[in-house]
Amino acid sequence: MTDLSGRTALVTGGAQGLGEGMARALAAAGAKVAVADVKDGEGTKVAESIGGTFVHLDVTDDASWEAGAAAAVDALGGLDILVNNAGVEITSLVTELDPNDVKKMLEVNVLGTALGLKHGLRTMRPDGAAGNGGVIINVASVAATIAFPGISVYSATKSAVDRLTRVAAMESGKLGYGVRINCIYPGLVPTEMGVGLAVDTANLGLFESPDAAVAGVVDLTPSGRLGTVEDMADAVAFLASDQAKFINGVGLPVDGGMGM
């Protein structure tokens, strides 16, 4: 069983969905966890339920990141693990793209992850407020590895998360920061976002129904099922642990083989 006793962690988008599951998994493994989100009420409830702390954080805002990282260090007594999970998906055919939707996905998924890397590294590197190195795990998507209809911009942003991960890992190593950086590629999970995707692609005429959309995903998945929140959370806990101490600068598919 993964042991994170004595570690401290910050999870963005931790108020619900995958982020909540990841926060719970890290806490169950022994870490002290800060749940970060713009949803104060929901985030506080999750934090209280795992004996952690809540940090208000808008991942698209540089000043919010600076304050949030400092608040996490103060509350937890350090920062060893950062999970850049916050993300949004807005389904659209390429011919119908709304520039505002594109900007929102770019800001949350790409800028949010980039700022997380910035402030995570600044906090964990030897001259930072925590200063003991650590682990950063970014959440990309199987959408970065396949051509699934209706999610062109989302796929592009998650491909960007992969690239950010690898370059940041190389910089961290070259500059002696002592921070490992990896990402995971989750498959489709029936969270609010996953269910919404199935409904949206059916509404666009890409599938006969939401159930048909889900069946299409399962048909593409050798493991023969959708992913679960626990599948994704377990992968994050593993990458955060010493069991993964020589895994660095890579993307781990957690998609049942869908993206192979």
Side-chain angles (χ1 to χ4, degrees):
M1 187 172 177
T2 301
D3 183 8
L4 297 174
S5 300
R7 309 288 176 86
T8 56
L10 173 68
V11 180
T12 70
Q16 63 183 7
L18 295 186
E20 177 181 350
M22 292 166 184
R24 293 188 182 282
L26 294 173
K32 293 193 294 182
V33 180
V35 174
D37 212 299
V38 292
K39 298 181 177 180
D40 295 356
E42 296 94 325
T44 298
K45 289 179 181 178
V46 173
E48 290 176 347
S49 72
I50 61 174
T53 189
F54 174 74
V55 173
H56 179 86
L57 175 61
D58 175 357
V59 298
T60 70
D61 184 80
D62 194 46
S64 184
W65 260 110
E66 185 172 5
V73 171
D74 288 345
L76 302 174
L79 185 63
D80 305 302
I81 302 161
L82 169 62
V83 182
N84 284 313
N85 163 75
V88 295
E89 185 278 315
I90 303 172
T91 309
S92 174
L93 298 175
V94 173
T95 56
E96 307 303 317
L97 286 173
D98 183 326
N100 290 324
D101 292 341
V102 173
K103 290 175 183 177
K104 183 173 182 179
M105 285 185 278
L106 289 170
E107 288 180 354
V108 176
N109 301 351
V110 181
L111 177 60
T113 300
L115 291 177
L117 286 164
K118 171 185 176 178
H119 290 282
L121 287 169
R122 285 186 171 192
T123 301
M124 296 176 180
R125 68 190 182 185
D127 64 346
N132 293 314
V135 181
I136 298 177
I137 302 157
N138 299 323
V139 178
S141 170
V142 67
T145 66
I146 63 173
F148 195 81
I151 54 172
S152 59
V153 175
Y154 179 74
S155 297
T157 65
K158 291 304 185 176
S159 295
V161 169
D162 173 275
R163 295 296 96 188
L164 284 166
T165 297
R166 295 169 192 265
V167 173
M170 182 61 75
E171 289 184 6
S172 175
K174 291 290 186 181
L175 295 172
Y177 290 168
V179 180
R180 290 190 296 110
I181 306 170
N182 296 293
C183 67
I184 65 168
Y185 310 124
L188 183 66
V189 178
T191 58
E192 182 179 343
M193 181 185 289
V195 172
L197 174 61
V199 171
D200 290 343
T201 53
N203 288 339
L204 291 174
L206 294 167
F207 297 94
E208 291 184 359
S209 68
D211 286 343
V214 172
V217 170
V218 172
D219 187 56
L220 291 171
T221 306
S223 292
R225 65 172 175 85
L226 297 181
T228 67
V229 171
E230 290 74 21
D231 290 331
M232 310 309 148
D234 287 346
V236 165
F238 164 70
L239 287 174
S241 75
D242 288 341
Q243 292 170 300
K245 60 181 177 293
F246 203 56
I247 299 175
N248 195 8
V250 302
L252 175 64
V254 194
D255 60 5
M258 183 182 182
M260 68 177 178

